[in-house]
Amino acid sequence: ETGVTQTPRHLVMGMTNKKSLKCEQHLGHNAMYWYKQSAKKPLELMFVYSLEERVENNSVPSRFSPECPNSSHLFLHLHTLQPEDSALYLCASSQFKGGRSYEQYFGPGTRLTVT
Amino acid sequence: DAKTTQPTSMDCAEGRAANLPCNHSTISGNEYVYWYRQIHSQGPQYIIHGLKNNETNEMASLIITEDRKSSTLILPHATLRDTAVYYCIVPNYGQNFVFGPGTRLSVLP
């Protein structure tokens, strides 16, 4: 148990569906992250929120829309996804202080399958 | 991020020490070395980090060379549950963590 929870753990959705992934951290951190991990590939950073403001968007398609309503919660809204978006989506949190990002703690991930 | 290079895979006998190397020859003076591991289909797990001195915690030890250009993660008594992909990361100060392919460690009975 890392203090970062993600729901749902598994999700199957059609290409025309709209769904949301949820992440919650109980560590008192002020930065949160979304990563994507496709099969047999390294983690890819998607979004970074620091102090509830998005500070990085690594050229992610607009069909992925993040939302960070407060420092403990992070959402990833999904719409009109493609089969190649099937992957493990991981949320992480860390403390960001003095211009430095400290160690990140990850949730268990959401296994997404787009049919 | 300072580029890191790790062996693609390693084997270790159960109960023996697992020594995982990492080269980071372009590391800057204020950049930390972090180690994570990822057991199949789970989220990465933070293990340990260090700057200059060797570090030890309940999971592992981290040995950083004096010139800081390489480091070794040591699992003192590897178990089957330590089978995972191990990532060595050197994030630029204030920047984000970049996960490479890591080292796939197989602990063999």
Side-chain angles (χ1 to χ4, degrees):
Chain A
E1 183 59 50
T2 63
V4 181
T5 60
Q6 290 187 244
T7 55
R9 295 293 306 278
H10 300 271
L11 177 63
V12 179
M13 60 185 289
M15 289 190 283
T16 58
N17 291 158
K18 290 184 180 180
K19 297 286 185 183
S20 295
L21 309 184
K22 179 182 176 182
C23 175
E24 185 172 0
Q25 60 96 0
H26 308 272
L27 302 169
H29 289 160
N30 59 7
M32 297 188 76
Y33 311 78
W34 279 118
Y35 288 85
K36 173 185 177 183
Q37 189 174 32
S38 302
K40 299 185 179 180
K41 289 187 177 180
L43 279 74
E44 302 171 50
L45 180 64
M46 299 176 73
F47 299 103
V48 179
Y49 277 85
S50 179
L51 301 174
E52 301 164 39
E53 290 192 7
R54 190 163 74 191
V55 297
E56 187 160 334
N57 171 359
N58 284 350
S59 303
V60 177
S62 59
R63 57 186 183 268
F64 296 91
S65 175
E67 178 190 1
C68 187
N70 56 60
S71 60
S72 298
H73 294 87
L74 185 65
F75 295 90
L76 188 63
H77 304 300
L78 317 170
H79 65 96
T80 59
L81 295 191
Q82 304 298 312
E84 59 265 30
D85 296 322
S86 298
L88 181 67
Y89 288 84
L90 292 155
C91 172
S93 71
S94 75
Q95 195 63 15
F96 191 87
K97 184 170 61 177
R100 179 188 159 201
S101 177
Y102 287 72
E103 57 271 20
Q104 296 180 17
Y105 291 87
F106 285 79
T110 294
R111 174 70 60 187
L112 173 67
T113 303
V114 181
T115 61
Chain B
D1 286 8
K3 181 175 174 61
T4 62
T5 55
Q6 300 177 251
T8 302
S9 63
M10 295 181 64
D11 291 341
C12 176
E14 188 178 18
R16 304 295 293 271
N19 297 283
L20 294 103
C22 178
N23 287 321
H24 32 79
S25 58
T26 60
I27 193 169
S28 299
N30 59 358
E31 292 177 333
Y32 285 74
V33 181
Y34 286 82
W35 282 84
Y36 281 77
R37 72 180 182 184
Q38 187 175 24
I39 296 170
H40 182 64
S41 293
Q42 297 182 20
Q45 178 187 22
Y46 165 74
I47 302 173
I48 197 168
H49 73 280
L51 182 62
K52 295 180 181 177
N53 300 320
N54 298 338
E55 301 288 344
T56 295
N57 64 20
E58 65 278 4
M59 290 183 66
S61 294
L62 174 60
I63 308 298
I64 302 173
T65 58
E66 191 168 345
D67 63 8
R68 303 209 328 118
K69 292 185 177 182
S70 66
S71 61
T72 301
L73 180 75
I74 301 173
L75 308 179
H77 305 286
T79 71
L80 299 179
R81 288 177 294 181
D82 292 322
T83 292
V85 178
Y86 287 77
Y87 301 99
C88 169
I89 302 166
V90 179
N92 284 341
Y93 188 82
Q95 298 298 315
N96 300 309
F97 289 37
V98 176
F99 287 76
T103 295
R104 183 170 298 278
L105 175 68
S106 297
V107 180
L108 308 175

